[in-house]
Amino acid sequence: RQPCPPPAPPRPPEEEPPWGPHRLALLVPFRERFEELLAFVPYMHRFLSKKRIRHRIFILNQVDHFRFNRASLINVGFLESGNDTDYIAMHDVDLLPLNEHLDYSFPEAGPFHVASPELHPLYHYKTYVGGILLLTKQHYELCNGMSNRFWGWGREDDEFYRRIKGAGLQLRRPSGITTGYETFQHLHDPAWRKRDQKRIAAQKQEQFKVDREGGLNNVRYRIESRTDLSVAGAPCTVLNILLDCDTNETPWCTFG
């Protein structure tokens, strides 16, 4: 009799790609959208972990009584994100990436607009840079962050596009993505979540101007609390932020 052949050695599991050297600060401007938040945090944690991207999720919760100011919240998130992160994503809480080929890696060559006009389900104009935008911290500082003059919904990202160009940075966008307007899931329900689109007095003229002085250097705020928590097993940090407004400079920060 011939001896039985030795069993074949077990096949090694497929090697997973290594974690990258960089760490992303995911900055999420937020106010009163808890249903969207409960879906967003675990989804993005899984999405980025699968891509082996080190990350921290910061929920920038505006708790003052002024109108919503997305740009100022992002400035605050940048300043409070710590030295262990070296690039940021300005990320809307109601926009989930569905295509795993979307790139969230370190944007060394310049700002990378993940939610490009060719892919975003709603906004298709060429200068659009909202939704999801990645920048190195160095590039964000080069732009002096975002303008703090935009209270209410919209226009702050259009002004930031001009800052990118003024800083001499090259904006890049995804290529080879074939899913078109199905690339993202948009959680926003306009019938349930009314956006503050009102333009008050001088705000109508201000909304098209470039703010050449303000930004990271003059954002006024106070952190009411900082809480590390877990949403369905996904870690995040909630910053309760009190913004301040100079009503002589931007009287449209209130409805009064």
Side-chain angles (χ1 to χ4, degrees):
R1 292 182 181 180
Q2 297 296 321
C4 293
R11 296 180 63 184
E14 288 188 18
E15 289 189 10
E16 294 182 335
W19 292 84
H22 301 283
R23 176 171 281 185
L24 170 66
L26 198 72
L27 306 181
V28 187
F30 180 79
R31 178 182 263 176
E32 297 176 349
R33 292 188 176 186
F34 291 101
E35 299 88 349
E36 295 168 10
L37 185 67
L38 292 176
F40 178 88
V41 172
Y43 184 92
M44 288 307 303
H45 178 64
R46 289 193 303 268
F47 185 88
L48 294 172
S49 296
K50 186 176 181 180
K51 297 172 77 66
R52 287 296 192 266
I53 292 177
R54 302 179 192 273
H55 62 278
R56 293 184 65 189
I57 299 174
F58 292 91
I59 307 304
L60 312 173
N61 184 30
Q62 184 176 340
V63 295
D64 54 70
H65 297 292
F66 296 114
R67 299 172 71 190
F68 189 65
N69 191 322
R70 176 177 178 268
S72 288
L73 291 174
I74 292 172
N75 284 339
V76 173
F78 177 90
L79 294 171
E80 297 290 332
S81 58
N83 295 327
D84 61 338
T85 59
D86 55 359
Y87 71 114
I88 68 169
M90 310 177 191
H91 210 301
D92 287 354
V93 72
D94 59 7
L95 201 60
L96 301 181
L98 300 178
N99 191 321
E100 63 181 20
H101 297 294
L102 288 169
D103 188 4
Y104 276 72
S105 60
F106 186 73
E108 186 172 4
F112 186 74
H113 187 211
V114 179
S116 67
E118 297 82 10
L119 305 175
H120 195 285
L122 292 180
Y123 306 114
H124 308 143
Y125 57 95
K126 292 182 179 180
T127 59
Y128 177 66
V129 292
I132 309 167
L133 181 66
L134 308 181
L135 297 98
T136 70
K137 286 195 166 181
Q138 182 181 14
H139 288 157
Y140 193 74
E141 288 178 329
L142 199 60
C143 297
N144 189 23
M146 304 185 79
S147 171
N148 300 301
R149 299 179 67 85
F150 291 85
W151 301 87
W153 183 83
R155 298 294 186 190
E156 77 288 329
D157 48 355
D158 295 333
E159 200 269 354
F160 191 65
Y161 174 83
R162 298 178 185 178
R163 290 182 178 230
I164 291 172
K165 294 300 181 182
L169 298 174
Q170 182 64 45
L171 180 70
R172 299 178 304 116
R173 289 186 165 120
S175 61
I177 302 295
T178 59
T179 43
Y181 298 150
E182 303 299 320
T183 302
F184 300 95
Q185 180 182 0
H186 193 228
L187 301 175
H188 183 76
D189 182 355
W192 175 247
R193 295 289 186 191
K194 299 290 186 183
R195 283 175 168 154
D196 172 15
Q197 295 177 285
K198 189 172 182 180
R199 298 291 181 259
I200 301 171
Q203 186 181 11
K204 296 176 183 178
Q205 289 74 42
E206 282 278 336
Q207 64 181 334
F208 297 107
K209 292 182 180 179
V210 178
D211 180 3
R212 302 190 185 280
E213 298 179 359
L216 273 177
N217 62 314
N218 69 346
V219 61
R220 296 163 51 176
Y221 72 98
R222 180 167 61 88
I223 300 297
E224 183 181 69
S225 64
R226 176 190 293 257
T227 306
D228 294 323
L229 53 82
S230 174
V231 180
C236 67
T237 299
V238 177
L239 300 179
N240 283 341
I241 300 168
L242 292 157
L243 296 178
D244 193 13
C245 170
D246 183 344
T247 53
N248 292 319
E249 279 290 313
T250 54
W252 50 86
C253 63
T254 70
F255 283 112

